[in-house]
Amino acid sequence: MRVVTLSEPDDFDGWRDAARGLIAEDVPPDEMVWQVGDEPVDLFATVAEPAPVPTPGAFSVPRAFLDLARSAILGSDPERFALLYTLLFRLRREPKLIEDRADPLVRRLDRIAKDVRRDIHKMRAFLRFREVEDGGGEEGGTRFVAWFEPDHHIVRANAAFFVNRFASMRWSILTPEVSIHWDGKALSEGPGASKADAPDGDPTEEVWKTYYASIFNPARVKIGAMLKEMPKKYWKNMPETALVPGLLAAAQARESGMIAKARDTVGGNSLIAWEALRDEAAGCTRCPLYKPATQTVFGEGPVDAPLMFVGEQPGDQEDLAGRPFVGPAGQMFDKAMAEAGVDRSRAYVTNAVKHFKFEQRGKRRIHAKPGAGEIDACRWWIEQEQMLIKPKVTVALGATAARSLFGKVMTIGRERGRALQLPDGGEAWITVHPSYLLRLPDPAQAAEEYARFVEDLRVVGGRIG
Ligand code: URA
């Protein structure tokens, strides 16, 4: 037996470094014990592994695995380290395994990661700060203290979100496992706490209301969804309920202002704000598409990209990989971009709708066009992305993207080939979606349309220099 001792229950780097070495040595999962601190955990109750076949040569770990591992490592399931190592070990011989949602191991880790993301979202939504006088600090000794009981090891992973949103406040978040403290400049960590350590109740209700107002998300106004999303333990006397109608009216404006402020707070480096947005979108339930989809597929690319491309919605492969434009349409897009001399790595690429809409036919998931309601529900995210990235030029790939960006139906044939103005004043262009090119049955027409598409890309590339 080999024992790896990780420093903390959320020690992703420690796990990754150890796993790398063990894979290089070809150590099979059933020879491993993973523990945190000094406490051995109960391992391998359900993990059965066939005899290993050594695989020579370099092993490149799929990005989808790393994304899964980063979330799953924060889970409370004591077997998570072993399960992840087992999956990594199998991936060497079965590189496509990560895409196999029917595989019990992949399914179990997906479930853990999903629960973690949900817990992260709940902490952001339901955490309540209370104001206390603690005598320290430059702002007259006011500190905001919150007590929270997460189900998973998410507190450190969530810290950047609270730093970003409450950068100018001094605050502490106390949890049973760890406490984190922000003094306006630096984040520090302390031991776990108990509920009795946190200030209680009524005199500070106004503070909580203020906090709630600042994080308000109208999605939560759907009472059915609220009850489903909010376990009873968070429902103790919620003073904010009375605030809902007024907040709903002003919510979009507030959220927009908050993102703009976050951008200022981080001095032009909007990466933290973008990460917070992406993490929040991971728990999006603004329309029913999240239910059958594997995950939210958020945009990707540099946060200061001068060029933004907006597609329709993730396809089957994007849904599994968690990344936009990686399937057939993405490959067509990459090819055309290269021919047009536009560097995709300088562009931010996203979709109007962030979840895959499909119809299940046997084993196949067939693309289904998003409706106006779904496009409108998802505009929430694209507007935040636009405000953070502030691209010089935005390109709508197809009618759904155009409908989302302009808030109304746009005719591609009429609007194509000229600079348009978005409602926020930004420059936008409309062209066809790469999937359209893939669907054209006549080779001569397909070649002609492809050449037009490349030309459109060349023109927009020229707009950013
Ligand atoms: N089609 C899209 O519109 N977006 C993707 O990410 C993939 C296919």
Side-chain angles (χ1 to χ4, degrees), residues 311-315 318 324-325 329 351 433:
E312 182 197 68
Q313 63 164 346
E318 287 80 11
F325 282 102
N351 281 302
H433 192 284

Side-chain angles (χ1 to χ4, degrees), residues 284-348:
C284 181
T285 55
R286 295 182 68 81
C287 80
L289 292 185
Y290 76 95
K291 286 182 197 157
T294 308
Q295 56 193 315
T296 304
V297 177
F298 206 62
E300 69 176 23
V303 289
D304 57 353
L307 188 55
M308 177 186 279
F309 287 95
V310 182
E312 182 197 68
Q313 63 164 346
D316 180 69
Q317 295 197 31
E318 287 80 11
D319 169 79
L320 296 174
R323 298 180 55 209
F325 282 102
V326 293
Q331 285 156 39
M332 172 68 95
F333 176 61
D334 285 351
K335 181 162 157 340
M337 287 279 277
E339 261 176 64
V342 186
D343 184 357
R344 175 166 170 176
S345 70
R346 282 189 70 204
Y348 184 86

Side-chain angles (χ1 to χ4, degrees), residues 114-395:
K114 220 171 188 173
D115 289 348
V116 163
R117 288 196 294 270
R118 191 174 285 262
D119 206 28
I120 285 177
H121 177 64
K122 287 195 171 108
M123 180 172 172
R124 293 173 183 186
F126 308 134
L127 184 121
R128 304 167 176 213
F129 279 114
R130 309 284 188 194
E131 188 174 10
V132 294
E133 293 301 316
D134 70 353
E138 287 158 14
E139 288 92 34
T142 300
R143 176 173 287 270
F144 294 87
V145 180
W147 166 251
F148 192 76
E149 291 173 76
D151 293 329
H152 301 279
H153 307 287
I154 56 163
V155 177
R156 288 188 194 91
N158 237 349
F161 173 86
F162 289 98
V163 167
N164 180 39
R165 287 222 167 152
F166 301 103
S168 56
M169 285 163 44
R170 298 169 63 242
W171 52 256
S172 295
I173 298 175
L174 312 183
T175 79
E177 190 170 272
V178 64
S179 57
I180 53 173
H181 311 277
W182 174 251
D183 66 1
K185 296 186 187 77
L187 197 64
S188 58
E189 200 178 299
S194 72
K195 190 170 184 339
D197 297 325
D200 207 5
D202 297 338
T204 51
E205 206 160 84
E206 285 308 312
V207 178
W208 160 238
K209 283 185 184 173
T210 307
Y211 170 73
Y212 181 78
S214 76
I215 62 158
F216 181 74
N217 175 347
R220 279 191 271 127
V221 180
K222 292 174 197 146
I223 298 299
M226 231 168 138
L227 284 166
K228 182 172 153 287
E229 283 299 306
M230 197 186 299
K232 277 270 184 299
K233 70 176 182 177
Y234 304 118
W235 263 99
K236 296 160 205 152
N237 55 43
M238 297 194 69
E240 67 276 18
T241 316
L243 296 173
V244 165
L247 288 169
L248 184 57
Q252 180 87 39
R254 183 176 300 107
E255 184 82 2
S256 305
M258 202 162 62
I259 293 290
K261 189 158 167 261
R263 187 184 178 98
D264 295 344
T265 308
V266 295
N269 172 10
S270 37
L271 184 59
I272 299 170
W274 178 83
E275 284 173 348
L277 190 66
R278 179 203 54 194
D279 293 351
E280 197 166 340
C284 181
T285 55
R286 295 182 68 81
C287 80
L289 292 185
Y290 76 95
K291 286 182 197 157
T294 308
Q295 56 193 315
T296 304
V297 177
F298 206 62
E300 69 176 23
V303 289
D304 57 353
L307 188 55
M308 177 186 279
F309 287 95
V310 182
E312 182 197 68
Q313 63 164 346
D316 180 69
Q317 295 197 31
E318 287 80 11
D319 169 79
L320 296 174
R323 298 180 55 209
F325 282 102
V326 293
Q331 285 156 39
M332 172 68 95
F333 176 61
D334 285 351
K335 181 162 157 340
M337 287 279 277
E339 261 176 64
V342 186
D343 184 357
R344 175 166 170 176
S345 70
R346 282 189 70 204
Y348 184 86
V349 179
T350 190
N351 281 302
V353 173
K354 306 286 194 261
H355 282 111
F356 177 36
K357 181 174 178 184
F358 60 92
E359 280 165 26
Q360 190 81 44
R361 290 208 205 124
K363 283 190 168 173
R364 295 185 62 212
R365 303 190 301 171
I366 309 294
H367 165 276
K369 220 172 173 40
E374 287 142 359
I375 298 170
D376 289 343
C378 225
R379 283 180 80 197
W380 172 273
W381 299 114
I382 198 103
E383 285 174 3
Q384 317 292 335
E385 285 174 294
Q386 281 253 301
M387 275 190 304
L388 276 171
I389 311 289
K390 290 201 193 311
K392 189 162 174 232
V393 174
T394 303
V395 183

Side-chain angles (χ1 to χ4, degrees), residues 57-130:
F59 167 48
S60 119
V61 179
R63 184 182 157 147
F65 172 81
L66 286 176
D67 291 343
L68 174 71
R70 271 182 213 284
S71 293
I73 218 95
L74 308 179
S76 54
D77 187 327
E79 291 186 338
R80 64 197 179 283
F81 306 117
L83 292 169
L84 282 167
Y85 183 67
T86 304
L87 178 57
L88 184 65
F89 193 82
R90 286 180 56 195
L91 275 171
R92 281 189 323 168
R93 288 162 292 142
E94 305 166 66
K96 293 263 180 237
L97 178 62
I98 191 75
E99 292 161 22
D100 183 2
R101 260 50 202 178
D103 181 272
L105 178 58
V106 176
R107 265 222 318 266
R108 182 162 166 199
L109 281 162
D110 262 347
R111 183 78 256 157
I112 296 173
K114 220 171 188 173
D115 289 348
V116 163
R117 288 196 294 270
R118 191 174 285 262
D119 206 28
I120 285 177
H121 177 64
K122 287 195 171 108
M123 180 172 172
R124 293 173 183 186
F126 308 134
L127 184 121
R128 304 167 176 213
F129 279 114
R130 309 284 188 194

